[in-house]
Amino acid sequence: MPLLYPLVLSAALFGIGLYGVLARRNAVLMLLGVELMLNAVNLNLVAFDAWFADTIHTGQVLTLFTITLAAAEIGLGLAIVLALFRAVRTVDVDEVGAER
């Protein structure tokens, strides 16, 4: 498979994730956008690892590291969103910023 296909898919995923972070007001949807961007990075790492045919599979190792990082990020992020919801009764980022 040519390298262009995963790179275009990765760019599309990253663009959708970036739009989700910048345009959404809901904190949960912003976390979802960050996850999409991390998955785009993972796709790039695996695609370049397969393209360069690295013998120690550096791209795959870094992908496992970013998957672990994403799992920790989503756990901590959801805990923060839950604490925010309990305190303010909304997860709308614009409303939280206006109340303070």
Side-chain angles (χ1 to χ4, degrees):
M1 172 178 7
L3 182 63
L4 182 66
Y5 297 153
L7 293 183
V8 169
L9 178 62
S10 176
L13 277 175
F14 194 85
I16 292 169
L18 186 65
Y19 173 75
V21 169
L22 294 178
R24 300 290 178 196
R25 292 182 285 185
N26 191 336
V28 176
L29 292 178
M30 291 174 75
L31 286 172
L32 184 69
V34 170
E35 289 294 319
L36 278 174
M37 289 190 294
L38 285 172
N39 284 331
V41 170
N42 288 339
L43 183 59
N44 268 335
L45 287 171
V46 170
F48 279 112
D49 182 55
W51 179 259
F52 290 128
D54 190 10
T55 56
I56 58 174
H57 301 292
T58 308
Q60 292 178 13
V61 171
L62 287 174
T63 298
L64 288 175
F65 178 72
T66 57
I67 288 172
T68 306
L69 182 73
E73 175 260 334
I74 199 67
L76 184 63
L78 285 176
I80 291 171
V81 168
L82 185 61
L84 178 71
F85 181 75
R86 286 182 179 172
V88 187
R89 292 289 180 205
T90 185
V91 290
D92 192 357
V93 178
D94 289 338
E95 289 180 18
V96 171
E99 289 179 4
R100 306 241 170 196

